[in-house]
Amino acid sequence: MRTALAFAAALLTLATAATSTAAATTAVTAAEDTEYTQLITAEAPATTSTTGVLTWWDRRDGGWVAVGSAPARFGAGGLVDGPSRVQGTSTTPTGVYDLPYAFGIEPRPAGTRYGYRPVTGASWWCQDNASRSYNRWVEGLPKDCRAAEAERLADYPGQYDFGLVIGFNYRQPVRGRGAGIFLHVNGRGATAGCVSVSADAMRAVLAWADPERHPRIAISVGDTALG
């Protein structure tokens, strides 16, 4: 475990690690909406990487302290500046994002404090750019969301046993930028744009994450260690 730098320095480090000025601005704006005292960093060594490291941190006494760490996987297309991302490219968006809620095919893991949405046979994530439900969970597929442009969550046992929604393109979705970016359990290899870790690591993150501390995830390229 490493003692972290002060919050301001950490935020500047994360913003600088973004792949463009636009991404840095987005990261700072996302971070400033409310004070958070828990942070997940998902770090890849290069934009072409499909593997890296996930670390979760607590802010204590003005600094950041690592609580846990695990190997992570990224999109098969590597990583890209979040605002420049194009849907269907299997890229993971860099930036700092909130984590709206947890979900899973399996029951809520012990110690989970996040709101936990159980996956049912009717649970879909709509990715249809023409739908009013774009980048949203729906129970029962709406008429304006084509099944070919949506994920039926129950069709991904293992990967979606446990997960956290990543707030990329979520609050005010931009059509064509991408939908359904999660932190979830590893599948067979690289993801379609999500961040994934082992089932044990996902359980540990869910047991650690406290919604009252407003956790964020910072996805970046290069070494953005906080301390």
Side-chain angles (χ1 to χ4, degrees):
M1 298 298 178
R2 295 168 292 180
T3 302
L5 300 176
F7 173 76
L11 181 56
L12 288 172
T13 300
L14 292 167
T16 302
T19 55
S20 73
T21 301
T25 301
T26 299
V28 172
T29 301
E32 287 178 343
D33 61 359
T34 187
E35 183 176 5
Y36 56 91
T37 58
Q38 288 188 326
L39 180 67
I40 300 169
T41 55
E43 302 163 6
T47 57
T48 55
S49 300
T50 59
T51 60
V53 178
L54 189 92
T55 307
W56 45 108
W57 307 77
D58 281 335
R59 190 182 183 197
R60 301 175 188 168
D61 301 323
W64 290 99
V65 178
V67 176
S69 185
R73 299 176 185 174
F74 300 102
L79 295 89
V80 68
D81 170 13
S84 301
R85 187 179 188 272
V86 175
Q87 186 164 324
T89 55
S90 295
T91 51
T92 298
T94 60
V96 181
Y97 307 105
D98 66 350
L99 299 160
Y101 58 89
F103 68 96
I105 294 172
E106 293 295 318
R108 176 196 299 261
T112 301
R113 287 165 285 183
Y114 248 79
Y116 191 83
R117 192 163 189 177
V119 173
T120 74
S123 301
W124 295 76
W125 197 276
C126 182
Q127 301 177 1
D128 191 331
N129 285 287
S131 175
R132 290 174 293 178
S133 300
Y134 178 69
N135 204 18
R136 289 292 183 271
W137 178 306
V138 291
E139 284 296 317
L141 199 61
K143 291 182 179 179
D144 70 347
C145 185
R146 294 166 290 171
E149 298 293 330
E151 279 190 346
R152 183 174 177 269
L153 301 179
D155 290 344
Y156 297 89
Q159 291 101 310
Y160 293 165
D161 281 356
F162 312 108
L164 277 164
V165 175
I166 294 176
F168 168 73
N169 200 32
Y170 186 75
R171 301 298 176 188
Q172 296 179 314
V174 176
R175 265 65 178 175
R177 185 168 289 173
I181 300 298
F182 311 132
L183 173 60
H184 64 72
V185 176
N186 286 335
R188 293 181 179 179
T191 73
C194 298
V195 180
S196 74
V197 293
S198 71
D200 285 345
M202 196 67 236
R203 289 189 193 94
V205 168
L206 288 172
W208 159 84
D210 182 352
E212 294 188 359
R213 298 180 65 185
H214 310 289
R216 296 290 186 269
I217 184 167
I219 304 169
S220 62
V221 175
D223 183 7
T224 59
L226 304 186

Short mmCIF file of all heavy atoms in Angstrom, two decimals, residues 158-203:
data_model
loop_
_atom_site.label_atom_id
_atom_site.label_comp_id
_atom_site.label_asym_id
_atom_site.label_seq_id
_atom_site.Cartn_x
_atom_site.Cartn_y
_atom_site.Cartn_z
N GLY A 158 -21.53 -15.00 -15.59
CA GLY A 158 -20.10 -14.83 -15.37
C GLY A 158 -19.77 -13.35 -15.43
O GLY A 158 -19.60 -12.70 -14.39
N GLN A 159 -19.75 -12.78 -16.63
CA GLN A 159 -19.40 -11.35 -16.76
C GLN A 159 -20.32 -10.46 -15.94
O GLN A 159 -19.86 -9.51 -15.29
CB GLN A 159 -19.45 -10.90 -18.22
CG GLN A 159 -18.36 -11.48 -19.11
CD GLN A 159 -18.90 -12.62 -19.94
OE1 GLN A 159 -19.55 -13.53 -19.41
NE2 GLN A 159 -18.64 -12.58 -21.24
N TYR A 160 -21.61 -10.71 -16.01
CA TYR A 160 -22.57 -9.85 -15.33
C TYR A 160 -23.10 -10.47 -14.03
O TYR A 160 -24.15 -10.08 -13.53
CB TYR A 160 -23.73 -9.50 -16.26
CG TYR A 160 -23.36 -8.62 -17.43
CD1 TYR A 160 -24.21 -8.46 -18.52
CD2 TYR A 160 -22.13 -7.95 -17.46
CE1 TYR A 160 -23.85 -7.66 -19.60
CE2 TYR A 160 -21.76 -7.16 -18.54
CZ TYR A 160 -22.63 -7.02 -19.61
OH TYR A 160 -22.28 -6.24 -20.68
N ASP A 161 -22.32 -11.41 -13.48
CA ASP A 161 -22.69 -11.91 -12.15
C ASP A 161 -22.72 -10.77 -11.15
O ASP A 161 -23.61 -10.70 -10.29
CB ASP A 161 -21.70 -12.99 -11.68
CG ASP A 161 -21.98 -14.34 -12.31
OD1 ASP A 161 -22.97 -14.47 -13.05
OD2 ASP A 161 -21.18 -15.27 -12.08
N PHE A 162 -21.72 -9.86 -11.26
CA PHE A 162 -21.65 -8.66 -10.42
C PHE A 162 -21.10 -7.53 -11.27
O PHE A 162 -20.22 -7.74 -12.10
CB PHE A 162 -20.71 -8.86 -9.22
CG PHE A 162 -20.92 -10.14 -8.46
CD1 PHE A 162 -20.00 -11.18 -8.54
CD2 PHE A 162 -22.04 -10.31 -7.66
CE1 PHE A 162 -20.19 -12.35 -7.84
CE2 PHE A 162 -22.24 -11.48 -6.97
CZ PHE A 162 -21.33 -12.50 -7.05
N GLY A 163 -21.61 -6.33 -11.05
CA GLY A 163 -21.10 -5.21 -11.82
C GLY A 163 -21.47 -3.87 -11.22
O GLY A 163 -22.33 -3.77 -10.33
N LEU A 164 -20.82 -2.83 -11.71
CA LEU A 164 -21.15 -1.44 -11.42
C LEU A 164 -21.31 -0.71 -12.74
O LEU A 164 -20.47 -0.85 -13.64
CB LEU A 164 -20.04 -0.77 -10.60
CG LEU A 164 -20.04 -0.98 -9.09
CD1 LEU A 164 -18.67 -0.60 -8.51
CD2 LEU A 164 -21.13 -0.15 -8.42
N VAL A 165 -22.37 0.05 -12.87
CA VAL A 165 -22.54 0.89 -14.04
C VAL A 165 -21.53 2.03 -13.97
O VAL A 165 -21.40 2.70 -12.95
CB VAL A 165 -23.97 1.46 -14.11
CG1 VAL A 165 -24.11 2.44 -15.27
CG2 VAL A 165 -24.99 0.33 -14.24
N ILE A 166 -20.77 2.25 -15.05
CA ILE A 166 -19.87 3.39 -15.16
C ILE A 166 -20.63 4.52 -15.86
O ILE A 166 -21.25 4.30 -16.91
CB ILE A 166 -18.60 3.01 -15.94
CG1 ILE A 166 -17.78 1.97 -15.15
CG2 ILE A 166 -17.74 4.25 -16.24
CD1 ILE A 166 -16.54 1.46 -15.87
N GLY A 167 -20.57 5.71 -15.29
CA GLY A 167 -21.40 6.81 -15.77
C GLY A 167 -20.89 7.47 -17.04
O GLY A 167 -21.09 8.68 -17.22
N PHE A 168 -20.26 6.72 -17.94
CA PHE A 168 -19.82 7.26 -19.22
C PHE A 168 -21.03 7.48 -20.13
O PHE A 168 -21.84 6.58 -20.33
CB PHE A 168 -18.82 6.31 -19.90
CG PHE A 168 -18.55 6.66 -21.33
CD1 PHE A 168 -17.78 7.77 -21.66
CD2 PHE A 168 -19.08 5.90 -22.36
CE1 PHE A 168 -17.54 8.10 -22.98
CE2 PHE A 168 -18.85 6.22 -23.68
CZ PHE A 168 -18.07 7.33 -23.99
N ASN A 169 -21.17 8.70 -20.66
CA ASN A 169 -22.24 9.03 -21.61
C ASN A 169 -23.62 8.70 -21.03
O ASN A 169 -24.53 8.31 -21.76
CB ASN A 169 -22.04 8.28 -22.94
CG ASN A 169 -22.79 8.93 -24.09
OD1 ASN A 169 -22.96 10.14 -24.13
ND2 ASN A 169 -23.22 8.11 -25.03
N TYR A 170 -23.75 8.89 -19.73
CA TYR A 170 -24.95 8.40 -19.05
C TYR A 170 -25.94 9.51 -18.70
O TYR A 170 -27.14 9.37 -18.96
CB TYR A 170 -24.54 7.64 -17.78
CG TYR A 170 -25.69 6.96 -17.08
CD1 TYR A 170 -26.24 5.79 -17.60
CD2 TYR A 170 -26.21 7.48 -15.89
CE1 TYR A 170 -27.31 5.16 -16.95
CE2 TYR A 170 -27.27 6.85 -15.25
CZ TYR A 170 -27.81 5.70 -15.78
OH TYR A 170 -28.86 5.08 -15.15
N ARG A 171 -25.48 10.58 -18.09
CA ARG A 171 -26.42 11.61 -17.61
C ARG A 171 -27.12 12.32 -18.76
O ARG A 171 -28.33 12.53 -18.72
CB ARG A 171 -25.67 12.62 -16.73
CG ARG A 171 -24.99 12.02 -15.51
CD ARG A 171 -25.98 11.38 -14.57
NE ARG A 171 -25.31 10.71 -13.46
CZ ARG A 171 -25.93 9.94 -12.56
NH1 ARG A 171 -27.23 9.76 -12.64
NH2 ARG A 171 -25.25 9.36 -11.60
N GLN A 172 -26.38 12.69 -19.78
CA GLN A 172 -26.93 13.33 -20.98
C GLN A 172 -26.33 12.61 -22.19
O GLN A 172 -25.38 13.09 -22.81
CB GLN A 172 -26.60 14.83 -21.00
CG GLN A 172 -27.25 15.60 -19.86
CD GLN A 172 -26.89 17.08 -19.88
OE1 GLN A 172 -25.73 17.44 -20.05
NE2 GLN A 172 -27.90 17.92 -19.71
N PRO A 173 -26.88 11.46 -22.54
CA PRO A 173 -26.26 10.61 -23.56
C PRO A 173 -26.15 11.30 -24.93
O PRO A 173 -27.08 11.95 -25.38
CB PRO A 173 -27.20 9.41 -23.64
CG PRO A 173 -28.01 9.44 -22.40
CD PRO A 173 -28.10 10.87 -21.98
N VAL A 174 -25.00 11.14 -25.54
CA VAL A 174 -24.76 11.58 -26.91
C VAL A 174 -24.87 10.34 -27.81
O VAL A 174 -24.10 9.39 -27.65
CB VAL A 174 -23.38 12.23 -27.06
CG1 VAL A 174 -23.10 12.59 -28.52
CG2 VAL A 174 -23.27 13.46 -26.17
N ARG A 175 -25.81 10.35 -28.71
CA ARG A 175 -25.99 9.21 -29.60
C ARG A 175 -24.71 8.97 -30.40
O ARG A 175 -24.06 9.91 -30.86
CB ARG A 175 -27.15 9.45 -30.55
CG ARG A 175 -28.48 8.88 -30.11
CD ARG A 175 -29.03 9.50 -28.87
NE ARG A 175 -30.35 8.93 -28.52
CZ ARG A 175 -31.02 9.23 -27.43
NH1 ARG A 175 -30.50 10.09 -26.55
NH2 ARG A 175 -32.18 8.68 -27.18
N GLY A 176 -24.35 7.70 -30.52
CA GLY A 176 -23.18 7.33 -31.29
C GLY A 176 -21.88 7.30 -30.50
O GLY A 176 -20.87 6.84 -31.02
N ARG A 177 -21.92 7.77 -29.25
CA ARG A 177 -20.70 7.80 -28.45
C ARG A 177 -20.49 6.48 -27.72
O ARG A 177 -19.35 6.09 -27.44
CB ARG A 177 -20.75 8.96 -27.46
CG ARG A 177 -19.46 9.13 -26.66
CD ARG A 177 -19.44 10.44 -25.90
NE ARG A 177 -19.27 11.57 -26.83
CZ ARG A 177 -19.34 12.84 -26.46
NH1 ARG A 177 -19.60 13.16 -25.20
NH2 ARG A 177 -19.17 13.80 -27.34
N GLY A 178 -21.56 5.80 -27.39
CA GLY A 178 -21.40 4.51 -26.74
C GLY A 178 -22.33 4.32 -25.57
O GLY A 178 -22.75 5.28 -24.92
N ALA A 179 -22.67 3.07 -25.31
CA ALA A 179 -23.63 2.73 -24.27
C ALA A 179 -23.21 1.43 -23.59
O ALA A 179 -22.53 0.60 -24.18
CB ALA A 179 -25.03 2.58 -24.87
N GLY A 180 -23.62 1.29 -22.33
CA GLY A 180 -23.36 0.05 -21.61
C GLY A 180 -21.90 -0.15 -21.26
O GLY A 180 -21.32 -1.20 -21.56
N ILE A 181 -21.30 0.84 -20.61
CA ILE A 181 -19.92 0.71 -20.13
C ILE A 181 -19.98 0.40 -18.63
O ILE A 181 -20.50 1.19 -17.85
CB ILE A 181 -19.11 1.99 -20.39
CG1 ILE A 181 -19.07 2.30 -21.89
CG2 ILE A 181 -17.70 1.85 -19.83
CD1 ILE A 181 -18.38 1.24 -22.74
N PHE A 182 -19.46 -0.75 -18.26
CA PHE A 182 -19.56 -1.24 -16.89
C PHE A 182 -18.18 -1.62 -16.34
O PHE A 182 -17.23 -1.83 -17.09
CB PHE A 182 -20.44 -2.50 -16.81
CG PHE A 182 -21.77 -2.39 -17.51
CD1 PHE A 182 -22.19 -3.40 -18.37
CD2 PHE A 182 -22.60 -1.30 -17.31
CE1 PHE A 182 -23.42 -3.33 -19.01
CE2 PHE A 182 -23.84 -1.21 -17.94
CZ PHE A 182 -24.25 -2.22 -18.80
N LEU A 183 -18.12 -1.74 -15.02
CA LEU A 183 -17.05 -2.48 -14.34
C LEU A 183 -17.67 -3.81 -13.97
O LEU A 183 -18.64 -3.84 -13.21
CB LEU A 183 -16.58 -1.72 -13.10
CG LEU A 183 -15.59 -2.44 -12.18
CD1 LEU A 183 -14.30 -2.82 -12.91
CD2 LEU A 183 -15.28 -1.60 -10.95
N HIS A 184 -17.15 -4.90 -14.51
CA HIS A 184 -17.80 -6.19 -14.30
C HIS A 184 -16.76 -7.31 -14.20
O HIS A 184 -15.55 -7.08 -14.25
CB HIS A 184 -18.83 -6.46 -15.41
CG HIS A 184 -18.25 -6.60 -16.80
ND1 HIS A 184 -17.52 -7.69 -17.21
CD2 HIS A 184 -18.32 -5.77 -17.89
CE1 HIS A 184 -17.17 -7.56 -18.47
NE2 HIS A 184 -17.64 -6.38 -18.91
N VAL A 185 -17.25 -8.53 -14.11
CA VAL A 185 -16.40 -9.70 -13.94
C VAL A 185 -15.78 -10.10 -15.29
O VAL A 185 -16.41 -9.98 -16.35
CB VAL A 185 -17.21 -10.87 -13.35
CG1 VAL A 185 -16.35 -12.14 -13.25
CG2 VAL A 185 -17.77 -10.49 -11.98
N ASN A 186 -14.56 -10.60 -15.24
CA ASN A 186 -13.87 -11.03 -16.45
C ASN A 186 -14.66 -12.06 -17.24
O ASN A 186 -15.30 -12.96 -16.66
CB ASN A 186 -12.52 -11.68 -16.10
CG ASN A 186 -11.48 -10.68 -15.68
OD1 ASN A 186 -11.53 -9.51 -16.03
ND2 ASN A 186 -10.50 -11.14 -14.89
N GLY A 187 -14.57 -11.96 -18.55
CA GLY A 187 -15.01 -13.02 -19.44
C GLY A 187 -13.80 -13.78 -19.93
O GLY A 187 -12.82 -13.97 -19.22
N ARG A 188 -13.83 -14.18 -21.20
CA ARG A 188 -12.74 -14.99 -21.73
C ARG A 188 -11.51 -14.17 -22.11
O ARG A 188 -10.40 -14.71 -22.20
CB ARG A 188 -13.23 -15.76 -22.96
CG ARG A 188 -14.28 -16.83 -22.64
CD ARG A 188 -14.70 -17.57 -23.90
NE ARG A 188 -15.69 -18.60 -23.60
CZ ARG A 188 -16.25 -19.39 -24.52
NH1 ARG A 188 -15.92 -19.24 -25.80
NH2 ARG A 188 -17.14 -20.30 -24.17
N GLY A 189 -11.71 -12.88 -22.40
CA GLY A 189 -10.58 -12.07 -22.83
C GLY A 189 -10.90 -10.60 -22.69
O GLY A 189 -11.57 -10.18 -21.74
N ALA A 190 -10.42 -9.80 -23.64
CA ALA A 190 -10.68 -8.37 -23.63
C ALA A 190 -12.18 -8.11 -23.73
O ALA A 190 -12.97 -8.95 -24.17
CB ALA A 190 -9.94 -7.70 -24.79
N THR A 191 -12.59 -6.91 -23.33
CA THR A 191 -14.00 -6.56 -23.28
C THR A 191 -14.43 -5.84 -24.57
O THR A 191 -13.63 -5.59 -25.46
CB THR A 191 -14.30 -5.65 -22.08
OG1 THR A 191 -13.78 -4.34 -22.36
CG2 THR A 191 -13.68 -6.19 -20.80
N ALA A 192 -15.72 -5.50 -24.61
CA ALA A 192 -16.24 -4.71 -25.73
C ALA A 192 -16.16 -3.21 -25.45
O ALA A 192 -16.72 -2.40 -26.18
CB ALA A 192 -17.68 -5.11 -26.02
N GLY A 193 -15.44 -2.83 -24.37
CA GLY A 193 -15.28 -1.43 -23.99
C GLY A 193 -15.36 -1.20 -22.50
O GLY A 193 -15.01 -0.13 -22.01
N CYS A 194 -15.83 -2.21 -21.79
CA CYS A 194 -15.93 -2.12 -20.33
C CYS A 194 -14.56 -2.32 -19.68
O CYS A 194 -13.57 -2.58 -20.34
CB CYS A 194 -16.89 -3.19 -19.80
SG CYS A 194 -18.60 -3.02 -20.39
N VAL A 195 -14.54 -2.22 -18.36
CA VAL A 195 -13.40 -2.60 -17.54
C VAL A 195 -13.81 -3.85 -16.77
O VAL A 195 -14.92 -3.90 -16.22
CB VAL A 195 -13.00 -1.49 -16.54
CG1 VAL A 195 -11.81 -1.91 -15.70
CG2 VAL A 195 -12.71 -0.19 -17.28
N SER A 196 -12.97 -4.85 -16.75
CA SER A 196 -13.33 -6.08 -16.04
C SER A 196 -12.20 -6.54 -15.13
O SER A 196 -11.02 -6.25 -15.37
CB SER A 196 -13.72 -7.19 -17.01
OG SER A 196 -12.59 -7.73 -17.68
N VAL A 197 -12.60 -7.27 -14.08
CA VAL A 197 -11.67 -7.83 -13.10
C VAL A 197 -12.20 -9.21 -12.69
O VAL A 197 -13.28 -9.61 -13.10
CB VAL A 197 -11.54 -6.93 -11.84
CG1 VAL A 197 -10.87 -5.61 -12.18
CG2 VAL A 197 -12.91 -6.68 -11.19
N SER A 198 -11.44 -9.91 -11.88
CA SER A 198 -11.89 -11.22 -11.40
C SER A 198 -13.14 -11.09 -10.54
O SER A 198 -13.44 -10.01 -10.00
CB SER A 198 -10.78 -11.89 -10.60
OG SER A 198 -10.61 -11.22 -9.35
N ALA A 199 -13.86 -12.19 -10.37
CA ALA A 199 -15.05 -12.18 -9.51
C ALA A 199 -14.69 -11.81 -8.08
O ALA A 199 -15.43 -11.05 -7.42
CB ALA A 199 -15.73 -13.55 -9.56
N ASP A 200 -13.56 -12.32 -7.58
CA ASP A 200 -13.16 -11.99 -6.21
C ASP A 200 -12.88 -10.49 -6.07
O ASP A 200 -13.26 -9.87 -5.07
CB ASP A 200 -11.91 -12.78 -5.81
CG ASP A 200 -12.22 -14.24 -5.51
OD1 ASP A 200 -13.41 -14.58 -5.33
OD2 ASP A 200 -11.27 -15.04 -5.46
N ALA A 201 -12.23 -9.91 -7.07
CA ALA A 201 -11.95 -8.47 -7.02
C ALA A 201 -13.24 -7.67 -7.10
O ALA A 201 -13.40 -6.65 -6.41
CB ALA A 201 -11.00 -8.08 -8.15
N MET A 202 -14.18 -8.11 -7.92
CA MET A 202 -15.45 -7.40 -8.05
C MET A 202 -16.21 -7.44 -6.73
O MET A 202 -16.79 -6.42 -6.30
CB MET A 202 -16.28 -8.03 -9.17
CG MET A 202 -17.42 -7.16 -9.66
SD MET A 202 -16.89 -5.67 -10.50
CE MET A 202 -17.76 -4.43 -9.52
N ARG A 203 -16.21 -8.57 -6.06
CA ARG A 203 -16.85 -8.65 -4.74
C ARG A 203 -16.17 -7.71 -3.75
O ARG A 203 -16.84 -7.05 -2.94
CB ARG A 203 -16.80 -10.09 -4.21
CG ARG A 203 -17.70 -11.09 -4.94
CD ARG A 203 -17.73 -12.42 -4.19
NE ARG A 203 -18.31 -13.48 -4.99
CZ ARG A 203 -17.60 -14.33 -5.74
NH1 ARG A 203 -16.27 -14.24 -5.77
NH2 ARG A 203 -18.20 -15.27 -6.43
#
